[in-house]
Amino acid sequence: MDNVRILKGYSKTERKELEDAKYNGFNNAIYLINGIADDDDDCTSLTEKYINGSPDEDNQLARDIADFYCGNAKFPEQKYYVQLIKNNDSSYLNRNNLCNYCVLGSCCPIVVNYQTEFTEQEIKDIDPRYMAFAVPVEDDDE
């Protein structure tokens, strides 16, 4: 699964509709694509994305849906900040990527080699207790 494409440019609602369609609704991608094109009210946000798009964007939407259904595409994992003290801008977990040690600092580090955004698994790998301090990072493209 090294060649799995990351789907970008989807709102949270569109993402949820596509995930729900795959896992709880439409049996295959063709049924979903036809439902979106026919405006059957099951996936209103995806239908709106289709209606407001150009032919190239519509084709890309169909490719994204087919790849998502086949396991060749996925949405990016949710990222989190770990803020150990609420309302304190200097209490975010920062991990040095070169030496793999952690310090507290800003959520926007000045030093290049520090990581401040973590997936759930990365947080658990550092210390599972830090999940209690995880704050979701808001995506810019939604």
Side-chain angles (χ1 to χ4, degrees):
M1 281 273 234
D2 292 332
N3 56 353
V4 175
R5 220 167 38 86
I6 302 297
L7 299 175
K8 295 185 178 181
Y10 285 82
S11 69
K12 288 180 182 178
T13 306
E14 293 164 348
R15 176 180 175 162
K16 182 172 179 2
E17 282 182 0
L18 184 51
E19 289 170 339
D20 286 349
K22 179 179 179 181
Y23 300 114
N24 303 319
F26 293 89
N27 293 334
N28 65 52
I30 297 299
Y31 289 148
L32 176 59
I33 293 167
N34 283 335
I36 290 169
D38 292 340
D39 192 13
D40 65 5
D41 291 333
D42 284 329
C43 297
T44 54
S45 292
L46 289 172
T47 299
E48 197 170 300
K49 186 178 188 79
Y50 169 76
I51 290 170
N52 291 329
S54 68
D56 288 341
E57 290 172 347
D58 295 345
N59 290 336
Q60 185 61 53
L61 177 62
R63 277 191 292 277
D64 289 349
I65 291 170
D67 284 350
F68 183 72
Y69 266 77
C70 294
N72 296 328
K74 66 179 185 176
F75 290 104
E77 289 185 66
Q78 174 67 54
K79 296 279 190 158
Y80 300 91
Y81 296 118
V82 177
Q83 186 177 25
L84 298 173
I85 303 169
K86 274 192 187 264
N87 301 321
N88 183 326
D89 291 339
S90 298
S91 69
Y92 289 91
L93 185 69
N94 285 237
R95 179 169 60 185
N96 183 301
N97 292 324
L98 300 176
C99 303
N100 205 29
Y101 65 85
C102 295
V103 296
L104 291 182
S106 168
C107 66
C108 301
I110 297 170
V111 181
V112 175
N113 294 319
Y114 280 85
Q115 176 183 2
T116 59
E117 297 179 8
F118 304 91
T119 64
E120 183 175 337
Q121 189 57 53
E122 288 173 328
I123 295 170
K124 289 178 178 176
D125 288 347
I126 295 169
D127 190 326
R129 296 174 291 180
Y130 284 157
M131 281 307 299
F133 304 99
V135 178
V137 174
E138 294 298 323
D139 293 332
D140 291 335
D141 62 345
E142 295 188 28

